[in-house]
Amino acid sequence: MKKKLQGPDLISRLPDELLGSVITLLPTKDGARTQILSRRWRPLWRAGPLNIEASVDGFHRDELLASVFVELLSTHDEAPPVRRFYLNVNCMWSPVPRTMRIVDPLLQSPGLHGLQEFELLASHHVPASALRFSPALTVLSIRSVRWERADEVSTDIVCMLNFPSLKHLALSSIFGLSERAIHSLLSRCPILESLSLCENTGCRRIQISSLTLRSLAVSDGDKRLEGKLEELVIEDAPLLERLIPRLPNSGLVIRVSRAPKLRTLGYLNDDINTFELGTMLFEKMVPVGLPNVMRSVKVLALLTPPCLDLVIGFLKCFPCVEKLYIVSYTKMIIQNDQGYAPLECLDRHLKKMQIINYEEDKSADVNFIKFFVLNARVLESLKIVVRQGQCDAKWIASQHKKLQVDARASLGARLDFEAENTCRFPRSVHMKHIHDLSMDPFDGS
């Protein structure tokens, strides 16, 4: 019988600090289970900070779970024992007061002092104690909240807060968040780096000036919503690198006076009535007048018909784009003639391109992609997501012939095809891509 080989226990040789960091990344239940591994592991979980997820819907079982949770935090050795807390509060199936009786002790637990990351998903009312962690928070995300007396309550709560450590803030689907409340909140975030304001109501105009903000996402929500956002004004954002108008946008106006380091932009679409960037002005995706160019933008994403005139107009305004993402949809008959003057972007800069919703039976789509194949001289990769069909070898060979791949301007360019069963639209850019500037927000891979 062959003897089973066993190597040395290299993991246990790691220092306690590193093992504690590994345990912190595990779900709470799995982290607690590490205590049974050996006597050496037993104190590590109790000493390290936790990532906690809790869901409360007002039923009696939640009262027991809440008491267990509070007891758990009280037995944890080091403060702060909780690094991240995700709380889902659902009042739809039980009276609000009963649910709040469960939520309040959770939020007032001493174990949550010094909490760094707090994510709240709530279907209804939320007590003011939900934001008592403000001095230590570095990440705050609040989604789907209905305040009892919208403007008064939210404004009064926000005006009492102070966020000296907050770097990432996301507010989504909050009803009755007034303009005064938002501006008061932002004024109390002196080192804020990323901000997402999506589908909130109660504020028609947001005006932002920030010396620290690097990433901003915004959407106005469904056009049927009353009190939705109508205008975003960025007056001065010297460090802003990323501006992401998230879908839906139904008539939003965006004006950017000063953002000299803007690098990533999109998805721009014709539901944005007016987009003003420095001296450039676009009305429903169409450049107005003779705008100046902006050379800082390297990543551009467009939700647009496959229209060469429109896309080339953007590449003239942003001549240094290195990555171009296009989600295609057809509203009109497009010819896409191939006669265009040379473009700096295609001659020197464009290295990566992705097109979603390609329909190979439409000449406009074929001509659109063929133009870039034949003219993008430094292109390294072109990914084509097909609306329907199968990307087998025979079909890909036929597409290479249609798109004249053998005559491509960049001999090193790689073409990849991917099949989708339905038309794909970017309903939203993932929140972590908004906050993490090291990630390309539009790269689905």
Side-chain angles (χ1 to χ4, degrees):
M1 186 174 178
K2 215 171 188 180
K3 193 174 181 181
K4 188 176 180 181
L5 295 176
Q6 286 187 335
D9 183 3
L10 298 178
I11 293 180
S12 294
R13 294 182 182 178
L14 297 174
D16 288 355
E17 294 79 8
L18 186 54
L19 289 176
S21 299
V22 173
I23 293 173
T24 297
L25 298 175
L26 297 173
T28 304
K29 186 183 296 185
D30 295 333
R33 287 172 175 167
T34 61
Q35 296 178 95
I36 67 174
L37 294 176
S38 71
R39 184 175 300 173
R40 192 242 173 142
W41 284 76
R42 197 168 300 157
L44 296 177
W45 179 78
R46 292 179 176 273
L50 302 176
N51 295 324
I52 300 288
E53 294 189 6
S55 181
V56 176
D57 54 22
F59 292 121
H60 291 294
R61 69 173 185 274
D62 286 336
E63 297 183 28
L64 176 61
L65 291 174
S67 64
V68 172
F69 175 78
V70 173
E71 184 179 357
L72 167 69
L73 295 181
S74 66
T75 60
H76 219 68
D77 296 337
E78 292 192 1
V82 180
R83 174 179 294 170
R84 177 182 177 272
F85 184 29
Y86 169 80
L87 178 61
N88 184 347
V89 181
N90 188 345
C91 301
M92 297 187 67
W93 309 111
S94 67
V96 171
R98 177 190 295 175
T99 306
M100 292 302 102
R101 283 199 301 270
I102 300 171
V103 171
D104 266 327
L106 289 178
L107 297 174
Q108 294 174 10
S109 170
L112 293 177
H113 289 320
L115 183 68
Q116 296 178 29
E117 300 181 21
F118 183 41
E119 183 175 352
L120 173 65
L121 172 61
S123 63
H124 216 283
H125 309 279
V126 174
S129 55
L131 296 178
R132 72 175 185 84
F133 319 110
S134 60
L137 284 178
T138 60
V139 177
L140 175 61
S141 176
I142 304 179
R143 183 157 49 102
S144 296
V145 173
R146 291 178 181 269
W147 301 97
E148 187 172 359
R149 289 184 303 278
D151 286 341
E152 295 86 349
V153 175
S154 61
T155 302
D156 290 345
I157 291 174
V158 168
C159 289
M160 293 187 296
L161 299 175
N162 187 34
F163 292 93
S165 305
L166 195 66
K167 292 185 177 181
H168 308 297
L169 173 63
L171 304 176
S172 306
S173 302
I174 299 179
F175 291 79
L177 190 62
S178 69
E179 181 176 344
R180 176 171 168 248
I182 291 179
H183 291 154
S184 177
L185 175 60
L186 296 180
S187 70
R188 288 166 167 77
C189 303
I191 63 171
L192 191 67
E193 293 182 0
S194 68
L195 173 65
S196 176
L197 300 170
C198 296
E199 299 184 62
N200 303 304
T201 62
C203 178
R204 298 182 181 274
R205 186 176 187 270
I206 297 176
Q207 187 170 320
I208 294 176
S209 289
S210 172
L211 298 178
T212 60
L213 192 65
R214 300 177 64 194
S215 179
L216 173 61
V218 65
S219 72
D220 59 0
D222 194 301
K223 61 183 178 182
R224 295 169 294 183
L225 292 175
E226 293 186 7
K228 71 179 186 67
L229 181 65
E230 297 176 358
E231 184 178 13
L232 169 69
V233 178
I234 303 173
E235 287 192 332
D236 187 19
L239 298 183
L240 187 66
E241 299 177 31
R242 182 174 292 178
L243 176 58
I244 301 178
R246 302 177 87 200
L247 298 177
N249 284 303
S250 50
L252 184 63
V253 172
I254 300 176
R255 305 186 192 278
V256 183
S257 297
R258 184 173 181 269
K261 292 190 176 181
L262 188 63
R263 177 182 175 86
T264 301
L265 179 61
Y267 284 95
L268 299 183
N269 59 87
D270 60 9
D271 282 336
I272 301 175
N273 278 347
T274 300
F275 177 63
E276 186 177 321
L277 181 58
T279 60
M280 291 188 286
L281 178 62
F282 300 86
E283 293 184 355
K284 290 189 172 294
M285 297 279 283
V286 178
V288 176
L290 296 174
N292 292 330
V293 301
M294 188 169 188
R295 307 186 70 87
S296 65
V297 174
K298 308 296 183 183
V299 181
L300 178 65
L302 305 173
L303 174 59
T304 174
C307 175
L308 279 175
D309 284 345
L310 188 149
V311 174
I312 287 175
F314 272 95
L315 296 183
K316 289 179 179 178
C317 295
F318 306 106
C320 297
V321 166
E322 297 176 358
K323 296 182 180 180
L324 178 62
Y325 297 91
I326 294 177
V327 177
S328 171
Y329 69 95
T330 303
K331 284 185 176 180
M332 60 193 82
I333 298 175
I334 301 169
Q335 297 298 325
N336 282 336
D337 297 326
Q338 300 292 300
Y340 291 93
L343 292 174
E344 178 187 345
C345 180
L346 300 185
D347 287 342
R348 301 181 184 178
H349 304 292
L350 186 63
K351 296 178 181 179
K352 179 176 180 178
M353 187 172 179
Q354 176 177 284
I355 301 172
I356 296 177
N357 297 333
Y358 168 63
E359 294 187 80
E360 52 95 12
D361 59 341
K362 292 187 175 180
S363 61
D365 285 36
V366 173
N367 289 337
F368 182 82
I369 295 179
K370 184 169 66 175
F371 173 80
F372 290 96
V373 170
L374 298 177
N375 292 280
R377 298 183 179 278
V378 295
L379 191 67
E380 296 175 358
S381 69
L382 172 57
K383 182 177 180 180
I384 302 171
V385 180
V386 185
R387 181 173 294 188
Q388 291 179 345
Q390 295 181 346
C391 299
D392 55 26
K394 183 178 179 180
W395 183 87
I396 290 176
S398 71
Q399 295 308 305
H400 279 213
K401 187 175 181 180
K402 275 187 177 182
L403 300 173
Q404 299 183 17
V405 173
D406 289 342
R408 60 189 182 274
S410 174
L411 296 179
R414 185 185 73 253
L415 269 70
D416 295 314
F417 291 89
E418 179 181 307
E420 288 281 344
N421 293 328
T422 59
C423 179
R424 181 148 67 98
F425 287 93
R427 296 308 302 168
S428 63
V429 175
H430 199 284
M431 193 62 63
K432 70 179 180 180
H433 291 180
I434 294 171
H435 292 323
D436 189 348
L437 287 167
S438 68
M439 304 180 74
D440 184 339
F442 310 111
D443 188 353
S445 62

